[in-house]
């Protein structure tokens, strides 16, 4: 679906509120044949009650068989077609370090790498240098000056950094310089679009100066750049859906994606108590809150089934605090599956529950993949969930007469 | 979905293999209220085990309510959007008689028909003349010579034949000459596209000479032509999905569709043992095998419920031979439903099972429509199955970061 224009046309005013609670990487897999998934194994009396009072289903983030990254996973939950609305790699990198991209900035993901005396890459990740060294080297690269352009070089983690060029004449349309394998030099900076030639010239100069500044600093004696992108000019979430919207997320990437589509972002401390206290604090001022917890995904990525079960159980204990805010619509789900059995994101459909006064209740009285499978929500797309939430919030008028 | 470009971009290398086993016309209907379908009635212990070990669902070949022919049915299973990728009637006819169409050939489906003294059609199928007579008449038409063009006229069955013009300057864009009803003459050969005028002139001459050669040979004293088409220039299956691919099919039509998308085709003898021995023989050389059995469809078209049950049971006995090949992904389904109760193809969703190590198991412990209905695969589109199979084969990288 994801017909944002249609949804926008159907908006009708209502004094209702929607809370989207994302447990990152929620979906899982059994570790033994016929056994439970992480969510099925977890004791979640509060989520179970919401499932019993509402409706459940499974959603597919991008499409059948497609494993989404964090960007597309959230873009889908926010109601956008994740294939049409793709976030450039450079922009994602900026979001991940809380860098406030301006509309005309050009961002790229950088890697420090190792080259031999002939200039061929011998290690695309420079031996995964410590983040502290990455920060030092970024400071070195900040010495570079380009005409008419302000430069930002920010460390990310290990060999990864963010490059941002700030100017008024910069364009997208530059090819990656990372060849994707070793034994060859970094690729030249080339414009894939003739209009990008002036920008390519600037970036070429940056790379040439970086090469000189890094010479002799093995293993980090060269850089590659990829995913050149500007902040996308998309329909904004608050306007599109008519919702004063706020993100409450402790990880930069997630509040970054929310800000990219125009949501406010709440200041939040580092603990779980901080997170839910912040939700309660900002709730009166908004119609829509996106609340994000990262731990289930991390446990899944670590391959730790039991820890994923445990963090889901711990998070369940905060559900009453959310219910106490009396959202008209509560939507609880994940942005994708991260089965501990696979130690990575996966393509498996993600369980969701939606609780509102207008739900047609299904048979599910627990929250988990096997109960969601037969639910009222069926097997839908991620971007179907926002229209559904709006409908249950009484915010969508009839289509046609 | 069917975003072939996206799937192609996400390909990642893996040493895994996929086996697609198509039981033609697998889906069915009960003959009495509440009774079983053919597949539900069949005793299929081996398919049941695969269903229990994997996931199940129902797929819709083209769209809800659309009854697919054999071409679109298979095109969908091969991961292509069956509405976007349509095989011209002439090309289908060529595939059905194992005619090797070259890229510049123009093919058409021909009918012998009966015309009266005024030239009006009195029988569009010439009384369904015997195939032997059709072959004789095709030999007669082969006498026709056209400048700069090589002609092929091949009998198909009864009144049906295949016309192929081989030349370098031929174009599509000719209208059918079959008026679709009796009482009027065959339509003139007309170009729907001005660029097709030279080709129309050639075909007009063929039709005029055919009229003369057939005069007096009632009931087959005239021809009509339709579905003028060239071999389509589509993305090829092996390149698109990164799979060395082979078809093992005993009917020309099915290996023809597979060859059209670039699969190899294995030589196979006429018996069922031949079929499965051939699969085992070619399996080491390929990453993907498409195995096709026709019998369930034929029993369905004959309206023979019990025979359809019986052939499904017989085919089930060969499943262990397939499992023994240790495919990483086994996908068993039909290209469409052919309920004996309807004696024809139908639009009803088609049961499928997918068995792989990464399946999230559902509750199905038998294979059949009623168990597939609540399965993890939901009610999906046919062209969703290839991305799903690729994902379970570990051949798709993450989308976005």
């Amino acid at each position: 679906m994801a017909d944002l224009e249609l949804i926008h046309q159907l908006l009708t005013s209502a004094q209702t509120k929607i809370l989207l609670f994302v447990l990152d990487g929620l979906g899982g897999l059994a570790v033994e044949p016929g056994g439970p998934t992480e969510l099925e194994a977890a004791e979640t009396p509060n989520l179970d009650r919401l499932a019993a009072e509402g409706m459940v289903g499974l959603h597919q983030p991008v499409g059948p068989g497609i494993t989404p990254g964090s960007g597309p996973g959230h873009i889908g939950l926010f109601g956008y077609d994740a294939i049409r609305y793709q976030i450039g790699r450079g922009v994602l990198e900026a979001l991940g370090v809380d860098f406030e991209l301006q509309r005309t900035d050009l961002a790229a993901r950088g890697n420090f790498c190792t080259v031999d005396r002939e200039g061929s890459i011998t290690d695309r990740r420079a031996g995964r240098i410590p983040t502290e060294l990455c920060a030092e080297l970024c400071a070195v690269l900040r010495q570079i000056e380009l005409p008419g352009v302000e430069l930002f070089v920010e460390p990310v983690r290990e060999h990864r950094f963010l490059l941002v060029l700030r100017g008024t004449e910069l364009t997208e349309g530059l090819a990656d310089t990372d060849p994707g394998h070793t034994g060859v030099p970094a690729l030249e900076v080339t414009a894939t679009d003739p209009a990008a030639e002036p920008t390519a010239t600037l970036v070429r100069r940056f790379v040439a100066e970086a090469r000189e500044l890094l010479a002799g600093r093995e293993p980090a004696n060269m850089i590659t750049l990829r995913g050149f992108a500007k902040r996308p000019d998309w329909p904004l979430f608050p306007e599109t859906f008519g919702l004063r919207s706020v993100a409450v997320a402790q990880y930069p990437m997630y509040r970054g994606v929310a800000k990219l589509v125009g949501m406010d972002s709440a200041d939040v401390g580092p603990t779980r108590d901080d997170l839910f206290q912040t939700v309660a604090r900002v709730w009166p001022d908004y119609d829509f809150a996106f609340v994000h917890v990262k731990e289930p995904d991390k446990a899944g990525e670590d391959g730790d089934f039991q820890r994923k079960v445990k963090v889901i159980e711990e998070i369940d204990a905060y559900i009453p605090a959310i219910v106490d805010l009396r959202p008209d619509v509560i939507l609880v789900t994940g942005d994708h599956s991260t089965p501990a059995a696979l130690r990575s994101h996966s393509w498996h459909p993600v369980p969701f529950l939606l609780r509102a006064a207008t739900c047609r209740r299904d048979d599910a009285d627990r929250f988990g993949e096997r109960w969601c499978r037969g639910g009222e929500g069926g097997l839908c797309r991620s971007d179907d969930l926002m229209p559904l939430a709006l409908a249950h919030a009484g915010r969508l008028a009839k289509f046609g007469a």
Side-chain angles (χ1 to χ4, degrees), chain A:
Chain A
M1 253 294 287
D3 191 332
L4 296 182
E5 209 169 312
L6 174 66
I7 298 298
H8 181 70
Q9 283 166 11
L10 297 178
L11 289 184
T12 183
S13 60
Q15 302 300 316
T16 52
K17 295 188 181 219
I18 301 170
L19 191 143
L20 166 64
F21 186 24
V22 176
L23 285 74
D24 204 298
L26 179 63
L29 276 180
V31 286
E32 57 196 35
T37 66
E38 296 90 326
L39 178 58
E40 289 167 0
E43 298 251 355
T44 54
N46 297 301
L47 287 167
D48 293 348
R49 190 172 314 120
L50 291 184
E53 293 171 1
M55 58 176 277
V56 299
L58 291 167
H59 71 84
Q60 301 193 101
V62 182
I66 310 291
T67 297
S70 299
H74 279 84
I75 283 297
L77 290 179
F78 296 160
Y80 297 70
D81 179 333
I83 294 177
R84 176 166 172 197
Y85 295 97
Q86 293 187 38
I87 307 171
R89 179 81 227 194
V91 172
L92 262 185
E93 214 66 33
L95 301 180
V97 294
D98 258 337
F99 186 95
E100 292 278 348
L101 275 187
Q102 297 182 5
R103 193 64 71 184
T104 56
D105 290 352
L106 182 69
R109 149 84 181 264
N111 272 11
F112 288 103
C113 63
T114 315
V115 293
D116 62 19
R117 291 164 70 178
E118 280 70 46
S120 285
I121 295 176
T122 56
D123 184 337
R124 290 175 56 237
R125 297 180 186 84
R128 294 190 181 276
I129 50 170
T131 304
E132 298 72 35
L133 177 55
C134 179
E136 284 172 35
L137 295 171
C138 285
V140 170
L141 296 184
R142 273 187 218 118
Q143 301 169 28
I144 300 173
E145 293 187 359
L146 296 179
V149 165
E150 190 177 358
L151 266 188
F152 301 85
V153 189
E154 305 296 332
V156 176
R157 200 160 53 90
E158 297 177 339
H159 55 286
R160 290 159 50 185
F161 68 89
L162 164 72
L163 172 66
V164 176
L165 281 68
R166 178 161 295 166
T168 53
E169 308 291 328
L170 301 165
T171 56
E172 293 186 329
L174 300 190
D176 295 353
T177 76
D178 185 340
H181 53 94
T182 58
V184 294
L187 302 174
E188 283 298 305
V189 179
T190 52
T192 55
D193 173 353
E197 197 48 59
T199 303
T201 303
L202 285 168
V203 177
R204 240 175 252 134
R205 183 160 154 185
F206 175 81
V207 172
E209 295 198 23
R211 186 196 310 262
E212 285 181 29
L213 287 167
L214 297 174
R217 296 186 186 257
E218 285 78 2
N221 61 353
M222 182 54 183
I223 59 166
T224 59
L225 299 170
R226 55 192 162 120
F228 291 91
K230 296 170 93 161
R231 190 183 161 143
D233 189 20
W234 293 342
L236 295 180
F237 184 96
E239 286 72 36
T240 301
F241 299 118
L243 299 166
R244 295 171 302 160
S245 303
V246 65
V248 185
Q250 287 164 320
Y251 277 66
M253 168 72 81
Y254 308 97
R255 58 178 178 257
V257 177
K259 278 157 47 179
L260 201 64
V261 295
M263 291 188 209
D264 290 346
S265 173
D267 291 328
V268 52
T271 71
R272 211 172 273 153
D273 280 347
D274 289 336
L275 186 81
F276 289 93
Q277 282 165 12
T278 304
V279 177
R281 175 168 56 78
V282 300
W283 183 245
D285 300 328
Y286 290 94
D287 308 311
F288 177 92
F290 153 57
V291 183
H292 179 269
V293 292
K294 176 72 174 168
E295 286 86 348
D297 179 62
K298 285 172 76 172
E301 294 254 8
D302 289 344
D304 193 335
F305 187 98
Q306 283 310 329
R307 199 176 94 227
K308 190 169 166 192
V309 170
K310 185 161 167 289
V311 296
I312 291 171
E313 291 178 343
E314 289 169 5
I315 293 163
D316 181 73
Y318 286 86
I319 293 296
I322 281 181
V323 172
D324 283 349
L325 300 175
R326 302 185 171 277
D328 299 279
V329 178
I330 300 178
L331 179 57
V332 183
T333 188
D335 54 336
H336 53 73
S337 294
T338 307
L342 300 183
R343 295 176 168 268
S344 66
H345 292 198
S346 80
W347 63 92
H348 298 86
V350 188
F352 72 87
L353 71 81
L354 188 152
R355 194 265 230 154
T358 44
C359 280
R360 186 188 284 159
R361 288 194 189 187
D362 43 37
D363 299 330
D365 56 1
R366 291 193 59 188
F367 188 41
E369 289 82 348
R370 70 182 65 192
W371 303 290
C372 288
R373 198 172 290 131
E376 171 82 3
L379 177 62
C380 67
R381 285 173 48 128
S382 304
D383 53 2
D384 292 334
L385 296 179
M386 268 308 298
L388 201 60
L390 287 165
H392 282 285
R395 286 176 169 267
L396 289 186
K398 189 161 61 176
F399 170 67

